[in-house]
Amino acid sequence: MSTPIIIACAITGSVPRKKDNPAVPTQPEEQVESTHAAYEAGASLVHIHVRNDDESSSSDQTRFGKVMEGVRKHCPGMIVQFSTGGRGRDPKARGDCLSLRPDMASLATGSCNFPSIIYENPVELIYELAEKMIQYDVKPEIEAFDLSMIYKAHAMAGEGALKRPLYIQYVMAIKNAMPARRQALEFMISETKDLEPDAQWVAAGIGRYQRVVNDWCAELGGHIRTGLEDNVRYDKDRLAAGNHELVQLAVEIAAKHGRRPATCAEAREILSLRPAA
Ligand code: ZN
């Protein structure tokens, strides 16, 4: 049997609203509940954004803290990952959540175009966030929205601005950024292996590409990211019933390739994280 597969669930994100799928959890209590269902279904990592009462993006530490506390209580061992992502957030506040010491946080190592905005990650901001992650012992998940971001992460690891081993996520099928092309994924994996032999990787596919990319990840030896942040539908005919249903689907896809979901303890070991508190 090959390496157990870490199933990450991105429960909320900054884009989908209740009007897109009423199952999108936007308030801390529902976020904890939705994470718990995903955990029971096989997720070992939760990627968290928080929202204001009106569902707009927030950087509020209290909200991040509430979700983390609930997840730690109800989902023992699960890896808590906060988003430092930019959509709809004041750049200066994007790192505020790091002092709460989640296990991990996302870190985009470059800028690119998104469907309707420029996703701005100036070099100074990237280093500032990376430095805070070292300060608070938070492992970054490198978000590679295009190829250059892999090389930037590698350079930063060489400078000591990022700790090895790296964990890299290739984000595919965001309009105006990188498409979901298997050749592109395979090239990024081979570059990663060449430059950062100890790195682990995962890929995300947006919308209908979630399922396709999940399948490539399971087949090519990576981990899986799913969840309503990236895709609110189960298939073309209906919405997903919740994050748990997308995790169940990921488990089925992994099984097709002879892989089983990692337990939380295994996921921590694979990612060189500290054991659960
Ligand atoms: Zn996110």
Side-chain angles (χ1 to χ4, degrees), residues 10-14 47-49 81-85 87 89 106 119 141 143 145 169 225 229-230:
I11 54 169
T12 301
S14 53
H47 170 81
I48 300 164
H49 292 241
Q81 182 187 93
F82 287 166
S83 170
T84 66
R87 272 183 277 208
R89 293 167 69 180
S106 58
Y119 185 32
E141 175 177 279
E143 312 284 15
F145 292 91
Q169 172 168 229
R225 160 156 155 160
E229 168 168 352
D230 301 341

Side-chain angles (χ1 to χ4, degrees), residues 57-76:
S57 290
S58 169
S59 294
D60 181 28
Q61 285 208 40
T62 312
R63 286 172 186 260
F64 273 112
K66 268 191 196 164
V67 182
M68 183 163 75
E69 198 190 305
V71 170
R72 290 204 167 144
K73 185 167 160 204
H74 297 285
C75 313

Side-chain angles (χ1 to χ4, degrees), residues 22-210:
V24 175
T26 60
Q27 300 305 312
E29 303 72 34
E30 349 175 83
Q31 290 183 288
V32 173
E33 205 173 302
S34 186
T35 303
H36 184 248
Y39 171 84
E40 300 267 281
S44 49
L45 189 160
V46 58
H47 170 81
I48 300 164
H49 292 241
V50 294
R51 304 282 188 88
N52 296 309
D53 289 341
D54 67 356
E55 299 188 71
S56 60
S57 290
S58 169
S59 294
D60 181 28
Q61 285 208 40
T62 312
R63 286 172 186 260
F64 273 112
K66 268 191 196 164
V67 182
M68 183 163 75
E69 198 190 305
V71 170
R72 290 204 167 144
K73 185 167 160 204
H74 297 285
C75 313
M78 194 174 202
I79 297 167
V80 172
Q81 182 187 93
F82 287 166
S83 170
T84 66
R87 272 183 277 208
R89 293 167 69 180
D90 173 4
K92 288 191 291 295
R94 283 166 51 182
D96 286 356
C97 57
L98 298 172
S99 61
L100 296 171
R101 297 179 186 268
D103 299 292
M104 300 182 77
S106 58
L107 179 68
T109 47
S111 304
C112 67
N113 286 329
F114 270 4
S116 56
I117 59 159
I118 299 173
Y119 185 32
E120 289 183 66
N121 294 293
V123 176
E124 315 79 66
L125 177 64
I126 300 168
Y127 278 90
E128 192 190 303
L129 290 170
E131 202 181 301
K132 275 197 173 172
M133 291 189 198
I134 287 180
Q135 183 188 348
Y136 293 113
D137 193 21
V138 175
K139 185 182 175 96
E141 175 177 279
I142 306 302
E143 312 284 15
F145 292 91
D146 83 30
L147 188 58
S148 66
M149 301 186 198
I150 297 169
Y151 302 112
K152 184 59 192 167
H154 169 61
M156 289 177 75
E159 295 159 2
L162 293 175
K163 277 192 195 166
R164 292 187 166 109
L166 299 182
Y167 189 50
I168 303 183
Q169 172 168 229
Y170 315 114
V171 188
M172 311 190 96
I174 290 188
K175 190 182 172 197
N176 301 328
M178 191 158 52
R181 286 195 37 97
R182 183 168 168 135
Q183 289 94 324
L185 179 62
E186 287 181 7
F187 180 71
M188 291 189 289
I189 296 166
S190 83
E191 283 294 83
T192 300
K193 284 189 175 152
D194 192 41
L195 298 168
E196 293 288 332
D198 300 332
Q200 292 279 325
W201 64 270
V202 57
I206 306 303
R208 67 194 165 93
Y209 293 102
Q210 184 172 67

Side-chain angles (χ1 to χ4, degrees), residues 5 201-203 213-224 259:
I5 195 160
W201 64 270
V202 57
V213 172
N214 283 177
D215 195 72
W216 293 342
C217 287
E219 182 187 342
L220 299 172
H223 301 289
I224 280 184
R259 300 183 66 191

